[in-house]
Amino acid sequence: MRIPHREPGVEEDTLPWDYERIITAVRQVAGPVTAREVGEVVGVDVSVRAKLEPPTGPGDCDVLQVFWCPFNAHGPGRHDLELHLRRRWSGEVGEVLTAAPQPLVVGSDGFVPEPCVLHPEQVVTYPFAGLLPEELCARIDAWEEALEEEAERSADETTPEPLGYQYDLSIPPGWRVGGFASWHATDPYPMDCLTCTTPMHLLLTIDSSEWDGGSGSWKPLEDQNQPTHRCATPTAVTVGRWGELNVFACPNEPEHPHRWSVQ
């Protein structure tokens, strides 16, 4: 049930026939469509979970839902987020709502996401600079200083800003799944599972913007000429003081309680 990535210039008629049937089934539905509905159209046995989607979570779950209370002061520390993650199987989803339910009262508009379309991209990321070995950090510092000196010698109106490891190469801004967490606000601290003490892995990052003035190298090519203050916040979600929420999961047992940090 997964449609492969289609490179620019590749027409639909070059896709395998079964993928063409999936695309046709999705287009025939006037609104949102579940994997189960598509499976029924193309003749997949929807009673078998693995036929719809390979297992990607505990208990064959393939959907991760993130819930939070729309008030800052309702978390465990009275000034924290109250976050709840729930894993589900898409085949059990009933009627798909065309409009998400809206809370009657919120502490801030930044808690309510704006419906938008996702265009996922897979990118290579690297650890936060503060977690690298000292020798490697020294080499990176020397490399950045050399780039800055070169930029100063050839400075004119067309000279781009020199690249930096932290904001241009290591950790991209924006909403993302997996990769490495940024610790730019608090510095790194242990994020171990509270149940089994295993070091946790980054599961999801919810960011207040997809890019900013200091992370231009991650700006999508199609948005290069768009103003940052209007186009970099399609979700309209604001985390803390324009920060990011990093959610961590236990690699040994995904059902162990999640942890998170705000940067």
Side-chain angles (χ1 to χ4, degrees):
M1 294 298 294
R2 287 179 176 172
I3 299 178
H5 176 69
R6 190 151 50 104
E7 298 292 341
V10 177
E11 300 299 329
E12 289 183 11
D13 56 11
T14 63
L15 294 174
W17 69 271
D18 50 343
Y19 287 112
E20 292 183 27
R21 293 176 62 199
I22 294 175
I23 293 176
T24 301
V26 171
R27 286 178 173 166
Q28 288 176 346
V29 180
V33 59
T34 66
R36 184 185 185 91
E37 292 172 319
V38 176
E40 292 173 344
V41 172
V42 300
V44 174
D45 184 1
V46 296
S47 64
V48 181
R49 296 187 178 187
K51 292 289 187 179
L52 280 177
E53 191 76 36
T56 55
D60 294 353
C61 294
D62 60 359
V63 174
L64 176 66
Q65 293 178 306
V66 181
F67 300 91
W68 61 43
C69 175
F71 290 89
N72 263 330
H74 291 182
R78 298 186 62 184
H79 298 285
D80 305 323
L81 282 173
E82 177 65 23
L83 195 67
H84 177 68
L85 276 70
R86 180 179 300 172
R87 296 179 184 267
R88 302 178 63 187
W89 178 53
S90 59
E92 295 176 342
V93 176
E95 180 184 358
V96 179
L97 302 179
T98 56
Q102 300 296 309
L104 297 178
V105 181
V106 298
S108 169
D109 290 341
F111 282 113
V112 184
E114 181 73 19
C116 56
V117 179
L118 299 178
H119 298 280
E121 277 189 76
Q122 187 172 10
V123 297
V124 177
T125 63
Y126 299 95
F128 180 71
L131 296 174
L132 297 176
E134 292 185 7
E135 180 182 353
L136 182 54
C137 279
R139 291 170 54 193
I140 292 175
D141 290 341
W143 171 74
E144 291 180 338
E145 290 175 1
L147 290 181
E148 292 176 359
E149 293 174 358
E150 182 180 352
E152 290 177 358
R153 288 194 298 268
S154 59
D156 57 42
E157 295 181 355
T158 62
T159 302
E161 290 289 329
L163 294 176
Y165 174 81
Q166 182 61 37
Y167 296 105
D168 291 301
L169 302 175
S170 61
I171 301 175
W175 291 49
R176 55 193 182 274
V177 175
F180 299 96
S182 177
W183 298 94
H184 58 275
T186 64
D187 288 335
Y189 58 86
M191 187 61 70
D192 298 333
C193 178
L194 297 179
T195 302
C196 65
T197 70
T198 301
M200 306 181 85
H201 292 176
L202 180 65
L203 173 65
L204 174 69
T205 297
I206 297 174
D207 205 341
S208 298
S209 66
E210 293 300 302
W211 73 84
D212 56 34
S215 56
S217 66
W218 297 103
K219 192 174 183 179
L221 294 177
E222 58 270 25
D223 294 330
Q224 288 296 314
N225 297 323
Q226 299 296 329
T228 296
H229 69 282
R230 285 191 310 174
C231 300
T233 57
T235 66
V237 169
T238 304
V239 178
R241 297 182 178 180
W242 286 92
E244 62 184 46
L245 171 67
N246 293 316
V247 182
F248 298 83
C250 177
N252 288 344
E253 181 49 69
E255 293 183 349
H256 283 174
H258 296 85
R259 298 185 64 186
W260 55 87
S261 72
V262 176
Q263 298 293 314

